[in-house]
């Protein structure tokens, strides 16, 4: 039996639940390998079922040989029947993934007591297996290749939207199944918005251009950011860029097994604060990446998770000056016993485009 399934069973016995009812698509994928878009997991202490509908029966049977596949016409009726047949008294549901209305309805109709629990599978997902790491490496490599391919198009006069589209198309062409989020291309004043949406604005002299993008390969995400400059470069451009790069380097150096997320955040934040730009770095240093683009652990002021081998996190400090522009540099890294293994291979020296 997979270790992850054993861990869910351990949770059931430790906490006194009869069933874990998983409804997050990421939980489903992680525990079963099923890639269909609909289904629930019913994990009891001695059995495991994937409940899905007619559309996915054949696929589920092939992808999940160790799971009982239950077809439902009406999910509630099926859950009711399973709870009664198995004499289930206590069900743990994923509180972060069930709507208030669904939870209330399940409470009303199921002959068992429901408890909303948190992080049961998300905690397991923090440390990646070799297979997961292989997929993330491919996703990071595709992003690197896309950056190199799109770089010649980052020219004065090109629109943000055109560059974003080219990034997306290139990653798909290189084998990605999807983008991990809509690419961010923020030039000039738009770059001061950390999550700028690409607009029709055209790149012009003196613009920083923030490119933040990633893709999905075999279900797993990548995430990287590079910031370029359309010439001419001024002392202010260099000061800001160098400060972010020094902070990013300090953040990477702080990625160590056992260190808390907030300590890694502080290592980078101290550099930016010492340079007087602290108020312009208003987000956390980084986040876990895996099946989801943003997952645990968080590298932020509130990050209390100690880093452990096999975690995958971003290190992405930034400085955002309203009415001027922004700089962010983001690498995707694996936590190893030797520190950060940086997956993003694209160089970080400031590229000034003539
Ligand atoms: N695209 C958002 C991020 O880098 O986290
Ligand atoms: Mn990013
Ligand atoms: Mn990120």
């Amino acid at each position: 039996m997979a270790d992850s399934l054993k861990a869910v069973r351990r949770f059931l016995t430790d906490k006194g639940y009869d069933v874990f009812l998983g409804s997050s698509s990421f939980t489903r994928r992680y525990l079963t390998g099923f890639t269909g878009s609909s289904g629930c997991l019913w994990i009891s202490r001695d059995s495991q079922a994937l409940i899905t509908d007619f559309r996915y029966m054949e696929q589920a049977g092939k992808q999940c040989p160790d799971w009982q596949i239950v077809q439902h016409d009406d999910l509630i009726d099926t859950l009711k029947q399973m709870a009664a047949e198995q004499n289930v008294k206590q069900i743990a549901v994923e509180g972060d993934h069930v709507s208030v209305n669904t939870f209330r309805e399940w409470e009303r109709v199921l002959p068992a007591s429901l408890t909303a629990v948190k992080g049961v599978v998300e905690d397991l997902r923090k440390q990646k297996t070799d297979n997961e790491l292989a997929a993330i490496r491919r996703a990071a490599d595709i992003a690197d290749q896309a950056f190199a391919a799109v770089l010649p198009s980052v020219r004065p006069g090109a629109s943000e939207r055109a560059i974003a589209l080219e990034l997306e198309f290139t990653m798909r062409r290189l084998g990605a199944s999807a983008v991990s989020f809509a690419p961010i291309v923020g030039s000039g004043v738009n770059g001061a918005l950390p999550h700028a949406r690409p607009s029709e604005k055209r790149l012009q002299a003196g613009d920083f251009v923030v490119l933040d993008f990633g893709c999905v390969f075999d279900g797993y995400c990548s995430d990287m950011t590079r910031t370029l400059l359309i010439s001419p470069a001024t002392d202010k451009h260099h000061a800001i860029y160098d400060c972010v790069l020094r902070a990013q380097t300090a953040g990477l150096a702080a990625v160590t097994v056992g260190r808390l997320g907030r300590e890694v955040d502080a290592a980078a934040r101290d550099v930016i604060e010492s340079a007087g730009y602290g108020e312009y770095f208003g987000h956390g240093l980084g986040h876990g990446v895996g099946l989801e683009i943003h997952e645990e652990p968080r590298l932020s002021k509130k990050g209390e998770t100690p880093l452990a081998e096999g975690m995958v996190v971003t290190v992405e400090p930034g400085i955002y000056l309203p009415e001027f522009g922004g700089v962010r540099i983001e690498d995707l890294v694996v936590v190893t016993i030797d520190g950060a293994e940086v997956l993003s291979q694209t160089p970080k020296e400031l590229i000034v485009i003539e």
Side-chain angles (χ1 to χ4, degrees):
M1 191 201 314
D3 289 346
S4 49
L5 187 54
K6 277 190 200 150
V8 175
R9 291 242 157 79
R10 226 170 14 249
F11 162 79
L12 291 179
T13 45
D14 287 354
K15 304 288 182 188
Y17 297 112
D18 302 310
V19 164
F20 176 79
L21 178 52
S23 47
S24 142
S25 62
F26 301 108
T27 293
R28 204 164 60 222
R29 164 100 195 216
Y30 184 73
L31 292 178
T32 71
F34 176 58
T35 57
S37 68
S38 180
C40 272
L41 303 186
W42 178 276
I43 301 172
S44 72
R45 296 189 190 194
D46 56 9
S47 68
Q48 65 268 6
L50 166 62
I51 308 166
T52 187
D53 62 76
F54 171 79
R55 296 170 298 169
Y56 293 114
M57 290 305 289
E58 187 181 341
Q59 177 184 343
K62 285 188 178 139
Q63 290 184 321
C64 319
D66 299 330
W67 290 69
Q68 182 194 355
I69 312 298
V70 175
Q71 180 175 339
H72 75 78
D73 290 323
D74 180 293
L75 179 62
I76 299 246
D77 284 347
T78 302
L79 293 176
K80 215 157 67 177
Q81 195 182 336
M82 291 175 80
E85 278 172 8
Q86 297 178 23
N87 195 24
V88 164
K89 299 281 180 251
Q90 298 287 342
I91 302 178
V93 305
E94 295 187 290
D96 285 330
H97 304 288
V98 180
S99 73
V100 173
N101 284 348
T102 298
F103 185 83
R104 285 188 182 142
E105 189 174 9
W106 285 356
E107 266 192 323
R108 190 169 54 78
V109 301
L110 297 183
S113 170
L114 265 66
T115 307
V117 297
K118 188 176 174 60
V120 176
V121 177
E122 287 83 348
D123 281 351
L124 304 175
R125 284 171 38 199
K126 286 189 287 201
Q127 280 175 275
K128 273 62 183 177
T129 63
D130 287 346
N131 282 345
E132 291 180 291
L133 288 175
I136 293 170
R137 283 179 209 283
R138 280 289 295 274
D141 181 51
I142 290 170
D144 277 326
Q145 288 188 55
F147 181 88
V150 170
L151 189 54
S153 301
V154 183
R155 289 279 166 253
S159 78
E160 294 171 348
R161 259 171 55 82
I163 295 167
L165 185 62
E166 199 176 333
L167 277 168
E168 184 162 348
F169 182 82
T170 306
M171 290 190 287
R172 294 292 302 274
R173 187 169 50 74
L174 291 169
S177 60
V179 288
S180 49
F181 57 93
I184 294 166
V185 179
S187 66
V189 293
N190 292 347
L193 310 172
H195 277 185
R197 294 188 54 185
S199 73
E200 294 298 343
K201 178 184 174 305
R202 292 177 185 276
L203 313 192
Q204 60 193 52
D207 279 355
F208 272 131
V209 186
V210 178
L211 303 173
D212 182 354
F213 58 99
C215 66
V216 180
F217 185 86
D218 202 13
Y220 285 82
C221 296
S222 62
D223 190 8
M224 67 174 276
T225 306
R226 290 294 183 269
T227 302
L228 313 169
L229 179 66
I230 310 292
S231 74
T234 63
D235 288 349
K236 183 172 179 181
H237 286 121
H238 281 298
I240 296 165
Y241 192 91
D242 290 350
C243 180
V244 174
L245 185 54
R246 280 188 291 113
Q248 211 262 346
T249 307
L252 289 177
V255 170
T256 313
V257 169
R259 185 124 348 140
L260 303 182
R262 65 176 160 75
E263 294 171 330
V264 183
D265 177 277
R269 195 170 299 281
D270 284 352
V271 174
I272 292 178
E273 284 178 353
S274 304
Y277 292 112
E279 67 180 294
Y280 303 108
F281 175 29
H283 58 73
L285 178 66
H287 52 88
V289 174
L291 288 170
E292 288 180 271
I293 182 64
H294 293 131
E295 57 181 50
E296 295 300 323
R298 308 286 161 167
L299 307 184
S300 71
K301 289 178 184 173
K302 291 189 169 169
E304 295 294 338
T305 304
L307 294 184
E309 217 179 332
M311 289 181 174
V312 174
V313 294
T314 66
V315 176
E316 51 176 307
I319 294 177
Y320 309 93
L321 299 180
E323 308 305 328
F324 180 74
V327 174
R328 179 165 63 256
I329 302 171
E330 174 178 32
D331 283 333
L332 189 61
V333 313
V334 185
V335 180
T336 78
I337 43 168
D338 299 319
E341 179 197 344
V342 180
L343 301 184
S344 314
Q345 294 293 311
T346 301
K348 289 181 276 196
E349 295 77 36
L350 178 60
I351 298 174
V352 182
I353 293 160
E354 297 301 332

